[in-house]
Amino acid sequence: MAGTFRKCMMLCCTAKVTKEEDMAYEDAIAGLSKLLSEKADLEGVAAAKIKQLTAELEKAGSNQFDPVEKLKSGFVHFKTEKFEKDVDLYGKLATGQSPKFMVFACSDSRVCPSHILNFQPGEAFVVRNIANMVPPFDTTKHSGVGAAIEYAVLHLKVENIVVIGHSCCGGIKGLMSIPDDGTTASDFIENWVQICAPAKNKIKSSCGDLSFADQCTSLEKEAVNVSLGNLLTYPFVREAVVNNTLALKGGHYDFVGGGFELWDLDFNITPNLTL
């Protein structure tokens, strides 16, 4: 049995080890061999342990990502650690939602707004897209964004719309990299990010002496301001802002330095005159 165990362990442990680790391994094998030679009744238990260890080492050595297992274990953690521990909250959410915030955030996997701002379920109505952009009002284009804004403002009655940019944004870098002749190399991305072309033009004009990286950082924030202005092209948004039932805010999350900025813009808007 001891010889079988040693052979199995040699097959499983193929990783490179240091001299000290090799000695520790040899000592462990020798100790187990001695134990099994003295207590033969433990061979059944040892065989089961060897089988389990073999499976664990094979799994660890494969370095294969199991997406199904990730989703299953993620949901199990959510259900046991959150859902079942806050029955009242999820009971209320089952009857409806009344979020105070609508949030535009980037699709970037590093900048989940609920994680960054500690939003709990039911607190924020979130739209995520490339570079957290808001297109201007247009009933023939970008209807998915328009529908979300309409639903949030007219039906959910959100009180705040926050557009959040972030550091190292690939969409902003892509916008900054579009040639002046407007040629594109993708089917969707460049056409989408040009929603904030006015911000790019402003940065290139006012910050032309900065490095490309610094221009991108400035554009990350200026593009937020353009999106805030675009929000006012939606009649129901403008009306709610004029009536002080809705506030628009810009934000920027720096995940490199761990900082967050929040600001308001004064658009000096007034109610429409009716004659």
Side-chain angles (χ1 to χ4, degrees):
M1 178 66 194
T4 302
F5 176 80
R6 179 177 178 80
K7 181 179 180 181
C8 176
M9 291 298 290
M10 290 298 289
L11 289 172
C12 294
C13 300
T14 57
K16 293 181 179 179
V17 294
T18 64
K19 184 176 181 180
E20 292 77 10
E21 290 173 333
D22 188 56
M23 291 178 61
Y25 168 79
E26 293 291 341
D27 290 343
I29 294 299
L32 183 55
S33 298
K34 182 174 183 297
L35 176 64
L36 292 176
S37 66
E38 295 173 351
K39 297 184 178 181
D41 58 317
L42 292 178
E43 289 188 357
V45 176
K49 293 292 186 181
I50 291 170
K51 184 177 180 180
Q52 177 184 351
L53 180 59
T54 300
E56 291 176 354
L57 290 173
E58 288 177 344
K59 183 177 180 180
S62 67
N63 292 321
Q64 291 183 348
F65 174 68
D66 186 341
V68 174
E69 182 57 34
K70 171 62 177 176
L71 295 174
K72 288 169 61 178
S73 61
F75 179 73
V76 169
H77 177 79
F78 162 75
K79 187 172 182 181
T80 57
E81 297 301 318
K82 297 184 179 181
F83 188 87
E84 293 178 351
K85 290 185 177 181
D86 204 340
V87 177
D88 289 342
L89 170 62
Y90 290 98
K92 291 177 181 177
L93 293 177
T95 65
Q97 61 172 325
S98 55
K100 301 293 186 183
F101 294 90
M102 179 182 194
V103 177
F104 280 90
C106 186
S107 299
D108 193 305
S109 61
R110 301 167 291 183
V111 295
C112 175
S114 294
H115 186 73
I116 297 166
L117 300 175
N118 197 33
F119 285 127
Q120 300 306 303
E123 290 185 339
F125 187 73
V126 180
V127 175
R128 299 184 69 175
N129 59 45
I130 298 297
N132 44 267
M133 292 185 179
V134 181
F137 180 85
D138 190 326
T139 57
T140 62
K141 295 195 302 182
H142 312 307
S143 58
V145 176
I149 297 171
E150 184 177 37
Y151 186 73
V153 175
L154 296 183
H155 297 276
L156 296 178
K157 307 294 184 183
V158 297
E159 298 174 4
N160 303 274
I161 299 181
V162 187
V163 181
I164 304 173
H166 69 91
S167 57
C168 305
C169 181
I172 291 298
K173 182 178 179 181
L175 172 59
M176 203 69 201
S177 302
I178 295 175
D180 291 337
D181 63 8
T183 56
T184 60
S186 64
D187 291 327
F188 299 102
I189 298 172
E190 288 155 315
N191 285 331
W192 169 260
V193 296
Q194 288 190 87
I195 288 170
C196 287
K200 173 188 175 181
N201 295 336
K202 179 177 180 179
I203 294 303
K204 290 190 70 174
S205 174
S206 62
C207 304
D209 57 331
L210 298 180
S211 67
F212 180 80
D214 288 340
Q215 288 183 47
C216 286
T217 297
S218 297
L219 182 55
E220 288 164 2
K221 300 176 183 180
E222 189 57 37
V224 168
N225 292 337
V226 168
S227 286
L228 292 174
N230 286 344
L231 280 167
L232 290 175
T233 65
Y234 293 79
F236 40 86
V237 171
R238 181 185 179 89
E239 181 180 0
V241 171
V242 169
N243 293 333
N244 293 318
T245 59
L246 178 66
L248 308 182
K249 300 180 184 297
H252 184 268
Y253 168 51
D254 176 9
F255 61 74
V256 178
F260 186 82
E261 297 177 59
L262 186 68
W263 65 86
D264 298 297
L265 287 182
D266 185 2
F267 293 103
N268 294 316
I269 58 176
T270 58
N272 291 328
L273 295 176
T274 55
L275 300 177

